[in-house]
Each structure stands twice: as C-alpha cells, then as structure tokens.
Amino acid sequence: MSKIQELQSKIAAAMLGGGQVRIDSQHKKGKLTARERLQLLLDEGSFEELGMFVHNRNKGLTTEQEQFPGDGVVTGFGTINGRLVYVFSQDFTVYGGSLSEPHARKICRIMDLAMENGAPLIGLNDSGGARIQEGVVSLAGYADIFYRNTRASGVIPQISAIMGPCAGGAVYSPAITDFILMVENTSYMFVTGPNVVKTVTHEEVTSEDLGGARTHATKSGVTHFSCSNEVACIQNIRQLLGYMPQNCEDAAPVYPYESGNENRPALNNMIPENPNQPYDMKEVIAELTDADSFLEVHKDFAENIIVGFARIAGRSIGIVANQPAVLAGVLDIHASVKGARFTRFCDAFNIPLLVLVDVPGFLPGTDQEWNGIITNGAKLLFALSEATVPKITVTTRKAYGGAYCVMNSKHIGADLNFAFPQAEIAVMGPKGAVEIIYKKEIDASGSPETRMNELVADYTERFANPYLAAEKGYIDEVVTPEETRTRLIRGYKMLENKVVNMPRKKHGNIPL
Ligand code: HXC
C-alpha cells in the first residue's frame, strides 16, 4: 500500500467513528452523527478538521480501551455564511462521546485557536460524561475546558447545542457559554440523574421531565432555545450567529437594507385606550424592526419579558421589552435575570439595545421577596446601568415606580428616551396613589366609591401621562407612534460612534 493509500484508509476508518453498528444505533435514536451535524452546520466544503488521528490511552484505569481515531470528538474550523467559526462535535459512537484526556485536549486546542483568532466557538454536545476508564484525568480535562470557557466569556461568542446526554459536571461548560440550544426528546441536561434523585429525594421523574429541552426552556431557563429536531437546532445556530460580531472588538454584520417609507401607521392603534387592557408587545416589535428580523431568545421562559435580536435598517440590535400580554408585563425574579443576562451579552458584543417599556412595577408577594427579588431585580438594573452600547428606550404605556428607573431610564444612562402619548410615567398607578394619599378623605366622604372614582380620574388626568417626565427632560421626545421607527433609525445612526469611558476597575460586582 502506498503512503497515500495508507493515509486514505486511515481517514476512511476515522470517518466511521465507533463503527457502522454504532452509527446505525445513533440513527435509530433519531440522532445524527457528529460529522453529519458539522456538515449541516458549516458552509458546504468549508470544514477543516484538526486532530483526526488523536486517540486515547490504550491502558485505562480498569480495562484495556479499544482505540478509535479522533477519540470521540471531531474538532476544527469552518465558515458559516462565509464567517470563520471554530467547532467541536462530540461523537457518541465512540465510548458514548465520553470525555477522555485527549478528547478534552482537542477541545481546548480549538478553544485556544478561537480566542487567539477572535472567532466564535460552537460546541455540539452529545456525551456520556467523564470517560469512566480514565478516572481523574478526565475530570482535569473538564476543568481545563471550564477555565477556557470562562476566559473566553465576553471575548468571543460561545454557543452550545445539546444533542444527547449532558450530565453531571459536564453541564457546566454549556452553562458558562452565551447560548444553549437543546433538541426536544433526544437531549437532556442535569447535574444528577433520575436514579440519584430517587435515592436522595424519593422523587420519581423521567430524564425528559427532569432535564429535557421543554423543561429547561420553560421551567429553569437553562436553555435559550428548544428545537424540534437536530436540523432545526443547527439552522437556529446559523441564524443566531448572523446577529453577532466575531469578537468583542468587532461589529455585527450589517445586512443589505433598502430604505423606504419607514412610517408605521399600525402603531397608532396598537396601544389600547383602557390602560388595563393587554396587548402583544411582539406586534410593536414587528412594526419597529426590519421585516422578519426578530429572533426571540428564551421564548418560553419568563414570558412577561421579551428578549431577542432584530435588525433596524440592516443593523443588529438587542431588544428587552416588557410583555403586557403576560402578567401585565410585571417584573419578577425570572424576568429580571432573563433581561439582565441578555443585556450583558449585547453589551459585551457591541450590539445596541432597544428597551420597550410597559411595566406596572415589580411583582409583590412572599414568594418573590423570600426568593430574592431584591437581589435579582438589581441584576437588571445593574446590567442596563453598566451597558455602554447605544441604548434607546421607548415607553409605550406604563412606567411606574422602581421599574421605571430599572427599564433603561434616562437616569441610568439611556441615550434617547421616547414615549408614546399613551405613556403613564409616575410613582405608581392612579388607583394605588389615590388610595394612599386620599385615604382619609375617601373614608370620610358619604359615598367613598364615587369620591374614589373622581379622585382617580383627576389623578389620571394630571399625572398619568408622559408630559411631566418630558418637562423634566427625562423623556427626550413624546412621539407619534407611527414615527417611532424613523426615530430609531436616526437615533442609532447618531449613536454609531458612541464612546463611554468607564471608571478604572478590575470588574464590577453584579449582584449574583
Ligand atoms: C465510557 C461510556 C460512558 C462513559 C457511555 N459509554 N458512557 N464509556 N465512559 N462515561 C459507552 C457505553 O459503554 C457504550 O459503549 C456506549 O458508550 C453507548 O452507551 P449506552 O449506554 O449503550 O447508550 P445509551 O443507552 O444511549 O445510554 C447513554 C448514557 C449511558 C445515558 C449516557 O451510557 C450512561 O449512563 N453512561 C454513564 C454516564 C455517567 O455516569 N458518566 C459519568 C458521569 S460523572 P459500547 O461499547 O457498548 O458502544 C461525570 C463527571 C463530570 O461525567 C465531572 C466534570 C467536572
């Protein structure tokens, strides 16, 4: 056999990972192989593999280990829509994608290259965890990856797709990365699995209920995207990357955009006259942003706040918006954390922010207080205050109390604050205010209900509007809703070269 033929036969063997039987078994589970996933993820023909022939130590802790080229992970680089990315894709057909020391070393090498060359890192996870035969060295391998994930945070975008098991300490690498995507029915994440849960807490729960995609998309918020299948998951990654720069020194790609009539008359009728009537803030977002450009993040978690990427005149923005259609758009613990984390991603990667406000306040109750709405609400306040990217606020309706301050008010560094004429910017809603300041007068009147209604009407007339805030300069302009998109396009253009010098410090101390 010639040297070249020898190489070709080695490559052919590597392509089979753990062998055809295991590939068939992977397919039977409705899963793709590590290489098939990369083929879908990267631009056609762009993948350059590194480390194809790395293999494990033959002598394991307890047994001889069979050797497979690549050792359970395919690593390298390629392009997505022509932009460089670094990738690793765990191969479940080799020891269940479990992590050995050489497997970890391959991932670390890719991470180092991604950092040195300033390009995103994408990890496709499908692994039984630490390679049991290797013992403690595989733990060291995990820690090496966690350390690199942490150092890369805020420098390059990091995206994790969970396409099979991800259990034990292994969950902490995806958890440190910027975005997690999970595939419904074939992936799960948990620190301890159903058996341990049963032993310790006597709870009976399936893997899917404990840590499946729907669970983490709706209950824990661990995953940002729950995808119906692997192909949808991979498409989602490609789409997501389109809003991001390559690294923290870079700007997000600008998409072609033909300017036209930017007036959006539908906005004039979108806010109901009755302030207690809900409406869908996503309809407002659709009018303000470029057609079909909105990509919602964390769609099924803490739905009282909306976060996601969109484009305005071809440029990426990050949106944080109260959702009056869910719990009246109130801020609670989960909503605050969701908004804060997204804000920090956008700020780290130079993506301007748009904050849409219709918020009655923070959610009252023992559950919220005892679980730390103070600390958690402060996260959103901190994140929006520290963000130095261009920040524009549009108050569509209510902005009450502390929530007014938190939701990107002028006072915490918003660059432009617009309000719709329907906006109500005040310490609290008219009814609550009247009940406190006119309590004695209402109690003493012959007809408390009538007197109360009169006072509420008077308070509403005098205080529930945007003009008092505009008089003080807290609102830059009260705008006719249909003009808002034009204002935003011009506003972001005006803020394009914004520079803010922060006080010298090692790093802030966000209330975690
Ligand atoms: C070595 C492993 C492995 C592992 C699976 N395999 N997990 N080999 N180390 N951790 C191998 C199996 O022996 C099998 O080999 C092949 O992978 C496929 O596994 P199956 O069990 O047949 O697949 P499936 O039924 O789909 O079950 C998948 C699984 C299960 C749920 C992941 O294999 C499992 O429970 N594995 C052990 C998980 C675990 O306890 N990991 C260690 C956790 S501790 P063959 O040759 O038959 O194909 C940990 C600590 C991390 O991860 C700490 C970080 C700080």
Side-chain angles (χ1 to χ4, degrees):
M1 205 191 314
S2 76
K3 295 277 180 199
I4 290 175
Q5 281 169 330
E6 185 191 354
L7 169 65
Q8 281 165 348
S9 81
K10 279 178 184 289
I11 291 173
M15 290 299 149
L16 284 178
Q20 195 58 49
V21 172
R22 292 189 182 95
I23 291 175
D24 294 343
S25 149
Q26 178 85 343
H27 286 158
K28 262 194 217 119
K29 290 178 193 159
K31 292 161 73 182
L32 298 171
T33 64
R35 289 178 188 281
E36 287 165 345
R37 289 168 180 160
L38 288 177
Q39 237 169 31
L40 283 173
L41 177 68
L42 301 169
D43 296 341
E44 204 180 335
S46 73
F47 181 50
E48 289 288 333
E49 184 164 352
L50 301 173
M52 182 187 280
F53 300 129
V54 168
H55 61 69
N56 64 285
R57 289 193 183 87
N58 183 257
K59 195 129 183 62
L61 192 68
T62 52
T63 52
E64 293 288 310
Q65 296 188 75
E66 199 182 341
Q67 299 216 330
F68 298 98
D71 202 21
V73 63
V74 182
T75 55
F77 60 94
T79 60
I80 290 183
N81 292 323
R83 300 163 76 212
L84 175 67
V85 293
Y86 291 85
V87 289
F88 69 85
S89 179
Q90 289 178 315
D91 183 352
F92 193 81
T93 69
V94 175
Y95 290 108
S98 59
L99 188 133
S100 65
E101 193 242 317
H103 176 130
R105 228 182 322 113
K106 282 179 70 175
I107 295 177
C108 288
R109 165 96 176 108
I110 287 303
M111 296 176 87
D112 292 343
L113 281 169
M115 278 287 273
E116 284 160 16
N117 296 287
L121 174 79
I122 302 165
L124 307 182
N125 296 263
D126 187 0
S127 167
R131 177 82 51 87
I132 294 165
Q133 293 89 333
E134 291 218 358
V136 71
V137 289
S138 63
L139 297 188
Y142 272 117
D144 288 339
I145 294 169
F146 302 160
Y147 178 68
R148 281 169 175 76
N149 283 135
T150 307
R151 293 191 51 107
S153 180
V155 181
I156 51 169
Q158 301 181 83
I159 296 173
S160 303
I162 315 299
M163 310 185 105
C166 184
V171 296
Y172 287 114
S173 169
I176 297 171
T177 63
D178 298 302
F179 293 100
I180 298 181
L181 302 93
M182 291 183 74
V183 181
E184 286 161 23
N185 304 316
T186 49
S187 75
Y188 53 82
M189 294 178 82
F190 36 67
V191 173
T192 48
N195 291 342
V196 178
V197 169
K198 189 172 175 199
T199 310
V200 177
T201 70
H202 308 294
E203 290 168 287
E204 298 242 14
V205 65
T206 61
S207 290
E208 187 62 24
D209 280 350
L210 184 63
R214 296 305 303 164
T215 297
H216 285 311
T218 57
K219 288 190 164 72
S220 68
V222 164
T223 192
H224 299 85
F225 298 94
S226 169
C227 311
S228 53
N229 56 55
E230 293 196 13
V231 176
C233 176
I234 287 168
Q235 288 307 327
N236 202 331
I237 298 173
R238 290 178 60 95
Q239 192 188 359
L240 184 59
L241 273 173
Y243 296 92
M244 299 175 191
Q246 291 291 88
N247 57 61
C248 64
E249 307 282 347
D250 194 20
V254 179
Y255 278 57
Y257 175 76
E258 261 181 49
S259 61
N261 182 359
E262 309 294 1
N263 236 34
R264 296 290 180 270
L267 285 169
N268 287 345
N269 302 315
M270 220 161 251
I271 315 300
E273 292 214 344
N274 174 356
N276 297 323
Q277 196 178 322
Y279 61 96
D280 187 355
M281 190 64 99
K282 287 182 198 169
E283 289 180 14
V284 175
I285 292 171
E287 292 293 330
L288 293 177
T289 54
D290 296 357
D292 301 322
S293 73
F294 182 52
L295 175 64
E296 190 170 1
V297 175
H298 258 152
K299 182 158 75 69
D300 303 315
F301 179 69
E303 292 172 68
N304 39 331
I305 203 164
I306 302 166
V307 303
F309 298 103
R311 294 191 185 86
I312 285 197
R315 289 171 190 273
S316 286
I317 57 161
I319 296 177
V320 178
N322 306 120
Q323 170 57 296
V326 178
L327 295 172
V330 76
L331 283 177
D332 59 7
I333 291 171
H334 283 165
S336 303
V337 175
K338 171 176 160 179
R341 179 137 177 90
F342 184 74
T343 297
R344 295 194 103 214
F345 176 83
C346 292
D347 188 47
F349 290 104
N350 312 316
I351 299 170
L353 286 162
L354 171 63
V355 178
L356 303 176
V357 185
D358 187 349
V359 63
F362 282 95
L363 183 64
T366 49
D367 175 64
Q368 289 290 304
E369 294 294 349
W370 294 347
N371 284 298
I373 184 63
I374 296 175
T375 309
N376 288 291
K379 288 177 182 151
L380 183 57
L381 173 59
F382 191 105
L384 282 165
S385 299
E386 77 172 343
T388 57
V389 287
K391 298 189 288 189
I392 302 184
T393 304
V394 178
T395 302
T396 57
R397 195 165 61 177
K398 295 170 197 165
Y400 288 144
Y404 156 75
C405 303
V406 169
M407 289 301 293
N408 206 32
S409 62
K410 178 67 78 203
H411 326 286
I412 65 167
D415 298 294
L416 288 171
N417 293 71
F418 299 125
F420 284 4
Q422 297 95 331
E424 304 176 9
I425 303 170
V427 175
M428 60 174 71
K431 189 156 178 288
V434 164
E435 276 169 356
I436 294 169
I437 49 185
Y438 296 113
K439 185 174 186 313
K440 285 191 190 122
E441 187 183 326
I442 292 167
D443 289 347
S445 80
S447 170
E449 203 179 322
T450 314
R451 186 65 194 131
M452 171 95 170
N453 289 343
E454 284 167 7
L455 288 166
V456 167
D458 178 60
Y459 186 96
T460 305
E461 172 77 21
R462 288 201 290 154
F463 297 106
N465 62 59
Y467 299 106
L468 295 175
E471 280 171 23
K472 302 265 180 246
Y474 303 163
I475 292 294
D476 293 298
E477 286 286 285
V478 181
V479 296
T480 310
E482 67 179 1
E483 294 168 3
T484 314
R485 182 173 154 81
T486 307
R487 300 271 186 159
L488 294 179
I489 292 172
R490 292 179 181 171
Y492 287 119
K493 183 91 191 122
M494 178 274 283
L495 294 164
E496 214 169 39
N497 299 317
K498 180 183 175 189
V499 177
V500 174
N501 292 314
M502 294 293 276
R504 257 180 66 82
K505 61 173 119 173
K506 191 168 173 201
H507 57 72
N509 187 13
I510 188 163
L512 293 174

